[in-house]
Structure formats: structure tokens, C-alpha cells
Amino acid sequence: MTDTRRRVKVYTLNEDRQWDDRGTGHVSSGYVDRLKGMSLLVRAESDGSLLLESKINPNTAYQKQQDTLIVWSEAENYDLALSFQEKAGCDEIWEKICQVQGKDPSVDITQDLVDESEEERFEDMSSPGLELPSCELSRLEEIAEIVAASLPSPLRREKLALSLENEGYIKKLLEIFHVCEDLENIEGLHHLYEIIKGIFLLNRTALFEVMFSEDCIMDIIGCLEYDPSLSVQRKHREFLTKTAKFKEVIPISDPELKQKIHQTYRVQYIQDVVLPTPSVFEENMLSTLHSFIFFNKVEIVGMLQEDEKFLTELFAHLTDEATDDEKRQELVNFLKEFCAFSQTLQPQNRDAFFKTLSNMGILPALEVILGMDDTQVRSAATDIFSYLVEYNPSMVREFVMQESQQNDDDILLINLIIEHMICDTDPELGGAVQLTGLLRTLVDPDNMMATTNKTEKTEFLGFFYKHCMHVLTAPLLANTTEEKPSKDDFQTAQLLALILELLTFCVEHHTYHIKNYIINKDILRRVLVLMSSVHSFLALCALRFMRKIVGLKDEFYNRYIVKSFLFEPVVKAFLNNGSRYNLLNSAIIEIFEYVRVEDIKSLTAHIIENYWKALEDVDYVQTFKGLKLRYDQQRERQDNPKLDSMRSILRNHRYRRDARSIEDEEEMWFNTDEDDLEDGDPMVLPSEKIKNSDDLMDPITKFMERKKCKSFGL
């Protein structure tokens, strides 16, 4: 059986002063030849790899906090912490550290945090602690001055902290606080504010444990209500006791857990609201307060996760049709907070946490919640869904594929997410932006797994294009039935831009799935209708979508563009933009320049043969004349094959494209299983929608005639 006494979590403090989990393992101490000294070793419980190898330096300050934590600094900006599962294990390792440093294990800190000056050394020899005045109302000003004078010196802070601990001074101060409030002694209350604020800056866990105990914490908050810099008293206690109500959505039977939740909320409130914003010099003095809150949250999540009865009851109420809306909202908000706390867990424990929620039925529960009318509840459910997607998208994909076998497309979880994105009522579409990001994560092949027997990418993308893509593209198709968008207000344009952003991502990452969908549904033609939008950002999104397709240099796409005359709306937009030098102008020129530089022959021929008359007068860039030159060279090679052959030899094969790559690509495409295609349909070009070339050129010719008339003043 594994010795749980030595089981620890390893943490490091990052640049944002937040603790990062480095893994769980078992700690031991022993002599390491390479480090030439006694060292702390932590080996991972998963694979036995070394998580930590740290020499116990005689001069390093080790701190013992909350009975199960040991914290120290390896370098100036590198703090470490060991969080023990059991107090006994922490005591054993603490004794080893104290033994190496020659310290009494009863101390909570083994060294002064900073080397003191010679003057302080002399002072240290004369007195082991700082002598505080007797705790009386008449001496509060003197006490406040001593606290303020001690803060700049590390040694004085240490001695002050020891005196406060040993004499039970904090509780005596709080007794005086009650007297001052009863007497309405504002001057005394102002001194107490300065004293308590100074004690926070001592950064001592032992003092925090006293201050944050059940019988002291509200009085501590009361002292901090009387800020001398404010003209009126702040009402923090009134808020915590009357406004902020603790609701047990599911009764918590463990009194220790309940007390820990109360304590963590109040300490977080002290940090975020009560204490003044720390200065640059004070910020590091509150690191222990940050650590106190962090480890409390870790403990709360662990205790809740282990309470099977609590979780079972939570999900039973969440999915019960008899649960009223108000109760369900409270349950959802609790679950959201629970998931937020889980971010403090280390990766393997977080994985187990979400696995537990999955087994309890969190995804079916979210499906029920997202179908509700209450926007606040749906918003909280979306936040929970985002935690699940960001941490384990494969779990979500597996669920939605399984439910598709039993449910209609309309009530699939992923389609509910798409519908909420489409129906977002926020003028800025904040919710839609968040949901678009989640959908992008779900359809991203880079985070999909492959096994011996199946590929998640193949299965999920096949599912998505069959059951969900039509829901995503519905607003686009509904708005592009004519030559111009049927609705062109700002909010609709924003929504269509988000949809295009996601479709552009699919073009880049989904190869034949999106290719088949675009060509069969004639999506590019519909997208290019948006080039005539009054909103430039939407026209640019449409152009970016086409640019991504052209950039693939895929002959399937190229043939589709050529046969459907899909450069026509681009040329129209370019001509309608006139001589304005703006982003749209540059982006359109860039797509033609790309065709020229990459020598995409089919597109070059199509552009020159159909649109040269409209573009030949554009001379402020050489792009179109360059395209014409490319086209002429192609025709010359076609008319004189021997010359083309000689040029190929002279190029020494540098520019020869390997024909096998094209053959392999097309063979892969035509060998694709029908299941991978949309409903097993073959890929066909929408030839029935192709216009006659004369009809296509007519509007452009008319535009050019109007332009010439204006230039001659007719």
C-alpha cells in the first residue's frame, strides 16, 4: 500500500504571482552526490520521473504554513511549495529541513527572509523579540507607530510577528476594537486600521490563521472599515452578513467543508475589496495571502469531489423536470463556481474532476439548461461548457456523436450552441464571439486523437458536416439569395463575419470535407454576395474566405471558380471601389497578385479571357499587366510546344511540379469512402448555375461605359 504521508503536490509561483501545479508524487530526503548535500526529492506517482530535486541549503528560508505546506525560494524569482496530503508527512520533512539547518522544528520559518544590516545584527543580539507596549486604548497610537516603523526592515518584521504570535496580541487588539466602537472613538479606530493593515503586510501564515479564524475574521474586517483617508465608514460587515447570503443549493453535511467555504469567501473579499490596492513595494508582502486563498480553493474542490452523495444529489436536482427555474439557476451558478475553482487543480486531478462530472451526466444536464429561456442560466451554462471544451474537447465530441444516434439534429448539444450563437441578442455579440471560439476548438483537427482502429478526425468531421454544418450556414444562405444581402444591418453583418471566420478556418484545416460542402452547396457564390455589403469588414471577410480557397491551389476549387465565374463579384467590387486607396482595394489586388506570382494557369486564363477589358486600364499597379503577360506566355507555349520543351530543359527542372502529387491527391479524393462525404453525395460542380459569359460581362461592360461617360463629362 502506498505511503500517503509522503504524498505531495509540487507548486511553483509564476510571474503573475499565481501558483502553477507541477505534479503529484512522493517526497523523500537524502544525500545527493551531484548537489553535494542533503536534498528534497519528489518522484511522480504516475511514472516515477523526478519532479523536484532541491538541495536543502543552510541559508534558505523555509516556511511552514497551514500544517501541510512548506514554502521556500530557490532563487530571487523562483518560489516553490510542497502541499502534503497529511500533516504527519509535512512534520517529518520539516524536521529533516530543520535538522540540516540546525533549527528547532517548532519554528514556522527557519531563516530571516533577507540579510539584515550590521545595525540590525547588533540589535538582534540585544533582544530576541520586539517588545510591544501593553495592549491598551491609550497606547494605540504608539503601537501603530511601532508597526509602521517595523515594516521596512525584514528583521524587525520577523521580530514583530513573533511578538504578536507569542503574546496573543491580535485578540487583545480586537477586544479594544469593540471598546472603541462602543465609545465611537474614531481616532482609536483609525489607529487600529493602520495596525491591522500593517499586520497583513507582515505576510505570516501563523498570524493569518488567527486573523481568519471563525471568531476573529469579522472583527478584522470591522477594523478595516475605518480607513483614515475616507470621510465615511465603509459597511463591509453589513454587506457580508445581510447582502451576501450563503445559499446551500445542496445541503453540505461536512461542517469543516462549510467553514472552509465561508472562510475562503471572506478572505477573498478582504483581498479584493477591503484591503487598499497594494503599492509596488507592498505587493510581494501579500504573497502569503494569495497562497492562503489558493490552497483553500484546492482543498474545497478536493473535499467536494470526494463527496459522492453531494454530487449525485446535485445532478439529480439539475436534471429533474420538477426543479423550479430559480432553484435550477442556483444549481447552475454553483456548478459554474465549482468548475472555476477546479482550475487550481493540477492536470491529472483536473482530468479526474471533469471525468467525475462527465460520469455524473454534466453534458446531458447542460443540454437541458441550454434549452431554457432564462438568459442568465444559459450564460452560466455556456461558461461551464467552455470549461469542458477547453480542457477536454474529445470528451464533448464523443458525447455529441453518441447522442446523434438517438436524437434529432435540432436538439443536439452542438446545434443548440450554434443556435445560441446565431440568436445572441447582445448588440456587440459577446456571447456569439465566445461560442464561435468554442466551436472552433471542437472542429480543430489539431486537438483530435487517433487510435489504432479509428480516427476521431474522420468520425467527428463526418458527423459535423452531416448534422451541424447546415445549421451553421443557415443565416448565410438565408441572407444571400439575391445579388445583394437581404439584411445588411450592423448586427447581422457581425454575425455573418463570425460565421465566415469559422468557415475560413474549416477551409484551411478540413480539406475534402469542406471542399465537398462548398462545391455541392455553391457556398462560395453565396459568400461573394457579401462583397456588396455596405460594411467593409464583412466584404473583407468574404474576400478572405475566397483568398483562403485560392491559396490552396487546388484544381477542384479552381475548376469550380472558373466554371461558376466567381471572380465576377470580386471584379465588380474592385471597380465599384473606384480610385479609393483603402483596405478593400489592396486586398483585391493582392488576390490577383497571388494568382500571378504563383502562376495558377487556370485562374490566370479565366481572369484575362473574361475580365481583361475591365481591368486593362488599371496602371497604378503592374498586377493586371503582369497577369496578361503570364497569359500571353501560356498561349505562346501552347502554340509552340517545342519552345516550351526547350524552356523546361533550360530551367533545369527547378520549377517542375511533380505530377505524382496531383495524381496521388486525386486518387485519394476518388478513393474516399462515401461515408466521408455529405450524405454520400458525389462531388459535382453546380454547372446548372453557370451563366453565359456574355451575360456575365454585360454588367461589367455597362459599368465601364458609365465610367467613360463620366470621365468625358457626358
Side-chain angles (χ1 to χ4, degrees):
M1 183 177 176
T2 306
D3 183 8
T4 56
R5 288 184 309 165
R6 296 290 185 91
R7 190 167 183 262
V8 295
K9 298 175 186 176
V10 180
Y11 295 94
T12 58
L13 197 65
N14 62 29
E15 294 177 355
D16 298 323
R17 309 299 297 171
Q18 301 294 322
W19 288 100
D20 292 333
D21 298 311
R22 296 302 181 192
T24 299
H26 292 84
V27 64
S28 62
S29 61
Y31 188 86
V32 176
D33 291 334
R34 185 176 61 81
L35 300 177
K36 298 180 180 178
M38 291 294 291
S39 304
L40 297 177
L41 306 170
V42 180
R43 294 197 175 275
E45 63 180 2
S46 56
D47 57 8
S49 60
L50 199 61
L51 296 177
L52 176 69
E53 186 179 58
S54 172
K55 181 181 178 181
I56 304 173
N57 289 309
N59 298 320
T60 296
Y62 291 85
Q63 296 183 64
K64 184 181 176 188
Q65 302 177 5
Q66 296 178 292
D67 292 333
T68 56
L69 287 173
I70 297 176
V71 182
W72 73 99
S73 297
E74 289 274 297
E76 185 176 350
N77 293 313
Y78 189 64
D79 293 347
L80 287 157
L82 293 180
S83 176
F84 289 77
Q85 181 170 326
E86 296 185 10
K87 179 180 181 297
C90 183
D91 291 340
E92 287 181 18
I93 295 300
W94 185 249
E95 287 179 12
K96 293 287 185 183
I97 294 170
C98 292
Q99 184 180 347
V100 171
Q101 295 198 342
K103 301 290 181 179
D104 185 342
S106 63
V107 300
D108 286 335
I109 184 168
T110 61
Q111 302 286 336
D112 296 324
L113 297 179
V114 181
D115 288 340
E116 61 271 22
S117 65
E118 288 299 321
E119 182 182 351
E120 289 173 330
R121 287 179 186 273
F122 178 78
E123 189 179 327
D124 188 40
M125 292 171 62
S126 61
S127 62
L130 191 67
E131 187 175 345
L132 290 169
S134 58
C135 197
E136 299 173 3
L137 176 58
S138 59
R139 307 194 70 174
L140 284 178
E141 184 177 2
E142 184 182 350
I143 298 168
E145 290 175 354
I146 291 173
V147 171
S150 300
L151 292 176
S153 164
L155 178 62
R156 284 178 174 273
R157 286 204 308 271
E158 179 67 19
K159 291 163 72 175
L160 174 60
L162 288 172
S163 296
L164 291 170
E165 290 173 31
N166 296 336
E167 299 176 19
Y169 214 80
I170 291 175
K171 291 190 176 182
K172 294 177 185 177
L173 287 170
L174 296 180
E175 290 173 6
I176 296 178
F177 167 70
H178 287 291
V179 174
C180 287
E181 275 208 316
D182 292 340
L183 298 175
E184 297 184 359
N185 186 334
I186 301 301
E187 184 182 358
L189 291 168
H190 285 170
H191 289 318
L192 280 165
Y193 171 90
E194 298 293 352
I195 293 167
I196 296 300
K197 178 190 169 187
I199 292 174
F200 269 96
L201 297 176
L202 294 177
N203 211 24
R204 292 277 292 200
T205 304
L207 295 177
F208 287 157
E209 287 175 352
V210 175
M211 295 162 74
F212 300 152
S213 62
E214 187 70 25
D215 55 343
C216 291
I217 190 166
M218 294 305 289
D219 289 337
I220 292 292
I221 293 170
C223 291
L224 294 172
E225 290 179 351
Y226 295 94
D227 186 345
S229 64
L230 301 176
S231 57
V232 294
Q233 174 195 354
R234 302 178 73 183
K235 304 290 186 180
H236 297 305
R237 286 172 294 173
E238 183 178 324
F239 172 80
L240 289 172
T241 54
K242 295 180 180 179
T243 307
K245 296 295 184 182
F246 176 66
K247 291 185 178 180
E248 292 184 65
V249 290
I250 302 295
I252 298 173
S253 56
D254 186 349
E256 182 185 353
L257 172 58
K258 193 182 295 187
Q259 190 275 331
K260 186 71 69 177
I261 292 171
H262 282 302
Q263 183 190 62
T264 304
Y265 175 77
R266 290 165 180 170
V267 176
Q268 186 84 57
Y269 182 82
I270 289 173
Q271 177 184 264
D272 296 342
V273 180
V274 180
L275 285 176
T277 304
S279 67
V280 174
F281 302 103
E282 293 174 340
E283 192 168 358
N284 288 337
M285 293 181 177
L286 293 172
S287 60
T288 304
L289 181 62
H290 299 319
S291 302
F292 189 97
I293 295 169
F294 172 82
F295 289 113
N296 261 20
K297 288 181 177 180
V298 171
E299 200 170 339
I300 289 169
V301 173
M303 294 168 79
L304 284 172
Q305 191 179 344
E306 291 168 6
D307 192 340
E308 292 184 8
K309 180 182 176 184
F310 177 87
L311 290 178
T312 302
E313 199 171 340
L314 170 67
F315 280 96
H317 282 288
L318 202 57
T319 54
D320 188 352
E321 292 181 2
T323 303
D324 61 67
D325 291 347
E326 184 179 353
K327 177 73 171 178
R328 185 173 278 112
Q329 181 175 341
E330 292 173 355
L331 291 165
V332 173
N333 288 335
F334 170 81
L335 194 55
K336 174 187 170 182
E337 194 73 14
F338 193 25
C339 290
F341 271 30
S342 74
Q343 302 307 296
T344 60
L345 297 174
Q346 57 190 2
Q348 57 266 43
N349 287 357
R350 203 180 311 162
D351 187 43
F353 170 80
F354 283 117
K355 193 72 175 175
T356 300
L357 294 186
S358 176
N359 293 338
M360 290 286 178
I362 188 169
L363 288 168
L366 287 177
E367 204 166 40
V368 173
I369 298 163
L370 288 168
M372 296 173 62
D373 295 330
D374 193 319
T375 54
Q376 288 185 333
V377 172
R378 289 207 311 265
S379 175
T382 300
D383 290 335
I384 296 168
F385 185 70
S386 70
Y387 285 121
L388 295 169
V389 171
E390 287 167 12
Y391 189 72
N392 195 343
S394 292
M395 180 177 74
V396 178
R397 284 191 285 259
E398 183 180 355
F399 170 78
V400 296
M401 284 191 289
Q402 287 176 353
E403 68 163 352
S404 68
Q405 300 170 9
Q406 304 167 356
N407 298 334
D408 296 333
D409 287 359
D410 293 343
I411 59 173
L412 295 179
L413 176 60
I414 197 166
N415 283 344
L416 288 173
I417 294 295
I418 295 172
E419 286 171 16
H420 287 313
M421 181 194 88
I422 293 169
C423 300
D424 187 9
T425 55
D426 178 9
E428 299 298 324
L429 294 185
V433 171
Q434 179 188 12
L435 293 171
T436 303
L438 297 178
L439 289 170
R440 179 170 174 157
T441 302
L442 285 173
V443 300
D444 187 354
D446 289 344
N447 63 45
M448 296 183 186
M449 300 183 296
T451 62
T452 308
N453 300 323
K454 62 179 181 178
T455 306
E456 185 182 14
K457 176 181 175 181
T458 303
E459 289 192 349
F460 182 75
L461 292 183
F463 155 82
F464 182 79
Y465 280 86
K466 183 175 182 179
H467 297 279
C468 309
M469 186 57 99
H470 67 281
V471 182
L472 178 64
T473 56
L476 170 68
L477 298 176
N479 209 41
T480 54
T481 54
E482 306 295 335
E483 290 187 1
K484 290 187 176 182
S486 53
K487 286 182 66 179
D488 206 15
D489 59 278
F490 180 71
Q491 191 163 355
T492 301
Q494 275 189 305
L495 174 62
L496 293 175
L498 287 175
I499 294 171
L500 281 179
E501 182 183 329
L502 195 55
L503 290 176
T504 304
F505 177 83
C506 293
V507 167
E508 185 176 2
H509 293 88
H510 291 176
T511 60
Y512 58 85
H513 288 90
I514 188 69
K515 186 193 306 181
N516 183 53
Y517 190 82
I518 288 173
I519 295 177
N520 276 328
K521 305 295 182 184
D522 202 13
I523 294 295
L524 181 55
R525 178 187 299 281
R526 294 298 196 91
V527 168
L528 291 175
V529 169
L530 302 177
M531 290 288 294
S532 59
S533 169
V534 296
H535 301 284
S536 297
F537 70 87
L538 182 57
L540 286 166
C541 283
L543 186 65
R544 190 181 305 120
F545 179 73
M546 183 176 186
R547 173 64 176 82
K548 187 65 70 175
I549 289 174
V550 171
L552 295 175
K553 295 189 286 189
D554 185 310
E555 279 306 308
F556 278 106
Y557 277 131
N558 292 346
R559 287 198 293 271
Y560 164 54
I561 291 170
V562 168
K563 292 185 178 181
S564 300
F565 292 87
L566 294 181
F567 264 101
E568 180 192 350
V570 179
V571 173
K572 278 185 178 179
F574 180 70
L575 297 175
N576 285 328
N577 191 59
S579 58
R580 283 175 290 181
Y581 180 62
N582 52 23
L583 192 55
L584 183 63
N585 173 273
S586 299
I588 292 175
I589 290 174
E590 192 278 335
I591 197 170
F592 287 108
E593 180 68 11
Y594 180 82
V595 172
R596 184 192 71 80
V597 171
E598 295 297 324
D599 195 16
I600 305 176
K601 294 178 175 56
S602 57
L603 296 184
T604 301
H606 172 70
I607 293 166
I608 298 302
E609 289 171 3
N610 292 280
Y611 311 112
W612 173 242
K613 288 182 181 179
L615 301 171
E616 63 180 336
D617 292 336
V618 180
D619 55 7
Y620 58 88
V621 290
Q622 297 303 306
T623 297
F624 301 107
K625 288 181 171 54
L627 268 174
K628 183 67 164 61
L629 180 61
R630 286 277 195 197
Y631 174 74
D632 292 340
Q633 289 171 345
Q634 288 177 29
R635 294 295 299 269
E636 184 183 353
R637 284 195 294 269
Q638 290 171 0
D639 296 340
N640 193 345
K642 291 182 179 179
L643 179 62
D644 186 47
S645 175
M646 181 60 70
R647 283 175 176 164
S648 298
I649 295 170
L650 291 174
R651 280 200 302 267
N652 197 23
H653 305 287
R654 280 181 299 170
Y655 302 105
R656 195 175 87 187
R657 184 176 177 187
D658 189 352
R660 288 175 299 173
S661 64
I662 300 175
E663 292 170 1
D664 291 346
E665 183 181 341
E666 296 201 359
E667 183 180 351
M668 177 201 75
W669 171 255
F670 288 110
N671 286 339
T672 302
D673 292 335
E674 288 187 358
D675 291 340
D676 294 332
L677 302 180
E678 169 84 21
D679 296 320
D681 291 341
M683 177 178 283
V684 292
L685 290 170
S687 54
E688 70 278 4
K689 300 175 186 174
I690 298 172
K691 300 180 184 177
N692 180 279
S693 60
D694 294 335
D695 295 336
L696 283 166
M697 280 306 298
D698 188 55
I700 294 178
T701 304
K702 289 179 181 177
F703 179 89
M704 292 303 295
E705 287 174 357
R706 287 198 304 272
K707 188 176 178 185
K708 287 177 181 176
C709 287
K710 287 180 182 178
S711 65
F712 287 107
L714 297 177

